[in-house]
């Protein structure tokens, strides 16, 4: 399709490739097969992988199956980001279908959560510090950085209430993919800076103020019923949907456009698998691939809707230039920020000075200075 070549290269740059564990090879090859060629060894491991792959896999109800034009199959696991059930669904699906590629709803800016342990992630997710705010602003700009921190605050609120770190299903997918021979692991989400910059550009000044106000004062407790509901529906995405429901443009950039991007990445992953050849004279042989996609439940309907349509993701990867009203609003916010900062420093300085002058020691020194001055 037209306009897809460049994003495909970007996808390769963002992907992480995981092969089967090295120690698995000696277990599967007996001593009689130590002299096998690389091609024969590959074919043997592939044959064993295909034997483990079930023709009619017993899949969880959260899995949606899609078929590409070349016969490749994609199993999309709809998950809740704060749910143990979702983690089990991901593990079961990967073990049943033995995929060639696993695609997760992460980008390179969030890949660190795959490497952290649960305790570290839980601590990191609860903390929304000034250092994180500064880093977000450096990466994404003032408005996009503030928006990212406000959304992190929502995630931190849920994390604190549930006592569970987000992204458990992605970490399980990462672990299971490493156990499947010749399985690649791809990051399939649009980069966060693009998403937030497009989201900010879609809002008017007063919409930004209204949204920020709602996110800043989010403090409603999460009940046990909400925890149970989280197992059936993504609680984070539901809370976000409730907050951005009155901003259609924001919903389009944060949800609908990412549906398109995730669909594109899944289609890129679902390409026929070319088998190795013993020699150049041997004809090329390709077989349909099997892909497992791990995404939030809220994205599954959009992926199904976009699966058979022509996609041009170049349109959703560009950040529109700021409008005149946008530039004016940013300038106004900067002026207001520095004005408040200056007033605060002036107020603190004045109060400190009055406090210092009221001290007995200061009064005594001033009195001595006054007496020491020569009279006119």
């Amino acid at each position: 399709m037209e306009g897809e070549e460049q994003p495909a290269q970007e996808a390769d740059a963002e992907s992480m490739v995981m092969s089967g564990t090295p120690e698995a090879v000696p277990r599967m090859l007996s001593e009689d097969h130590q002299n096998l060629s690389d091609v024969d060894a590959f074919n043997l491991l592939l044959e064993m992988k295909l034997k483990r792959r079930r023709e009619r896999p017993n899949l969880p109800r959260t899995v949606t199956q899609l078929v590409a034009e070349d016969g490749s199959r994609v199993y999309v696991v709809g998950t809740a980001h704060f749910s143990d059930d979702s983690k089990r669904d991901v593990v079961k699906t990967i073990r049943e279908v033995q995929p060639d590629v696993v695609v997760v709803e992460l980008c390179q800016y969030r890949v660190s959560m795959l490497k952290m342990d649960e305790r570290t992630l839980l601590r990191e997710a609860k903390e929304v510090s000034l250092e994180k705010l500064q880093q977000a602003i450096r990466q994404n700009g003032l408005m996009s950085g503030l928006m990212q921190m406000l959304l992190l605050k929502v995630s931190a609120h849920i994390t604190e209430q549930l006592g569970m770190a987000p992204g458990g299903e992605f970490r399980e997918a990462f672990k299971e993919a490493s156990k499947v021979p010749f399985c690649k692991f791809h990051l399939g989400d649009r980069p966060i800076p693009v998403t937030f910059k497009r989201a900010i550009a879609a809002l008017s000044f007063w919409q930004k103020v209204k949204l920020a106000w709602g996110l800043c004062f989010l403090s409603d407790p999460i009940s046990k019923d909400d925890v149970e509901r989280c197992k059936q529906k993504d609680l984070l995405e539901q809370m976000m949907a409730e907050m951005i429901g009155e901003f259609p443009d924001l919903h389009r950039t944060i949800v609908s456009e990412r549906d398109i991007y995730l669909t594109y990445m899944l289609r890129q992953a679902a390409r026929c698998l070319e088998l190795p050849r013993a020699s150049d004279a041997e004809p090329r042989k390709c077989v349909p691939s099997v892909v497992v996609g791990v995404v939030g439940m809220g994205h599954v309907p959009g992926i199904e809707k976009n699966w058979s349509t022509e996609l041009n993701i170049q349109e959703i990867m560009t950040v529109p230039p700021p409008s005149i009203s946008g530039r004016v609003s940013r300038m106004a916010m900067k002026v207001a920020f520095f004005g408040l900062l200056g007033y605060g420093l002036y107020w603190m300085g004045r109060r400190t000075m009055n406090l210092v002058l009221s001290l007995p020691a200061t009064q005594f020194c001033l009195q001595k200075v006054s007496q020491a001055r020569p009279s006119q």
Side-chain angles (χ1 to χ4, degrees), residues 345-355:
L345 292 174
Y346 166 76
W347 183 80
M348 288 294 295
R350 183 178 178 180
R351 183 163 185 152
T352 302
M353 182 60 69
N354 290 335
L355 180 62

Side-chain angles (χ1 to χ4, degrees), residues 315-336:
E315 297 178 1
I316 62 172
M317 291 299 291
T318 58
V319 179
S323 61
I324 295 177
S325 60
R327 290 196 294 267
V328 171
S329 64
R330 277 202 303 274
M331 182 61 69
M333 290 191 67
K334 288 181 179 179
V335 170

Side-chain angles (χ1 to χ4, degrees), residues 36-48 182 273-276:
L36 286 175
S37 66
D38 291 341
V39 174
D40 291 335
F42 178 91
N43 289 330
L44 181 59
L45 286 171
L46 181 62
E47 181 181 350
M48 298 187 71
F182 315 115
L273 179 67
E274 183 177 338
L275 301 180

Side-chain angles (χ1 to χ4, degrees), residues 71-280:
S72 298
R73 288 171 291 164
V74 177
Y75 298 92
V76 183
V77 188
T79 66
H81 297 314
F82 293 86
S83 171
D84 287 330
D85 287 350
S86 288
K87 292 191 283 188
R88 287 189 285 268
D89 288 351
V90 169
V91 172
K92 181 177 178 60
T93 303
I94 293 177
R95 290 179 180 177
E96 288 279 321
V97 305
Q98 293 291 297
D100 303 302
V101 185
V102 172
V103 181
V104 296
E105 184 197 330
L106 287 176
C107 69
Q108 71 269 33
Y109 293 90
R110 292 183 291 160
V111 72
S112 59
M113 71 165 53
L114 297 176
K115 304 173 185 178
M116 294 183 185
D117 60 86
E118 196 77 14
R119 182 179 300 177
T120 303
L121 270 169
L122 193 59
R123 185 180 67 252
E124 288 285 325
K126 288 181 179 180
E127 296 176 356
V128 181
S129 62
L130 180 60
E131 182 180 352
K132 288 185 178 180
L133 174 60
Q134 292 173 339
Q135 182 180 0
I137 292 176
R138 280 197 303 268
Q139 288 180 348
N140 308 320
L142 178 62
M143 290 301 302
S144 298
L146 289 174
M147 180 66 68
Q148 181 178 346
M149 290 307 299
L150 289 173
L151 294 178
L152 283 177
K153 184 177 182 293
V154 178
S155 179
H157 173 64
I158 300 176
T159 298
E160 188 173 4
Q161 294 286 319
L162 299 183
M164 182 185 300
E169 72 273 32
F170 302 138
R171 290 187 291 281
E172 290 298 327
F174 183 72
K175 294 176 188 175
E176 288 301 317
S178 67
K179 300 174 185 177
V180 179
F182 315 115
C183 182
K184 298 180 180 179
F185 189 88
H186 285 192
L187 306 176
D189 201 3
R190 183 172 65 177
I192 280 181
V194 176
T195 296
F196 281 113
K197 287 177 182 177
R198 287 184 61 85
I200 292 298
L203 295 177
S204 67
F205 173 75
W206 292 114
Q207 285 178 323
K208 294 171 188 174
V209 172
K210 188 175 182 180
L211 179 65
W213 182 268
L215 291 171
C216 281
F217 292 94
L218 176 72
S219 59
D220 294 337
I222 298 174
S223 64
K224 292 183 178 180
D225 292 336
D226 292 326
V227 177
E228 292 301 317
R229 184 159 49 94
C230 176
K231 298 176 182 179
Q232 305 299 327
K233 185 173 178 60
D234 192 331
L235 184 59
L236 176 60
E237 291 190 2
Q238 181 174 336
M239 292 181 68
M240 289 304 305
E242 291 174 356
M243 285 185 290
I244 68 178
E246 56 186 303
F247 308 116
D249 291 333
L250 192 61
H251 184 274
R252 172 176 54 80
T253 54
I254 291 183
V255 180
S256 302
E257 290 183 357
R258 289 173 60 225
D259 290 346
I260 295 173
Y261 192 91
L262 288 165
T263 305
Y264 173 82
M265 296 300 291
L266 288 170
R267 278 172 26 180
Q268 291 293 301
R271 291 177 170 177
C272 278
L273 179 67
E274 183 177 338
L275 301 180
R277 298 178 293 168
S279 66
D280 293 338

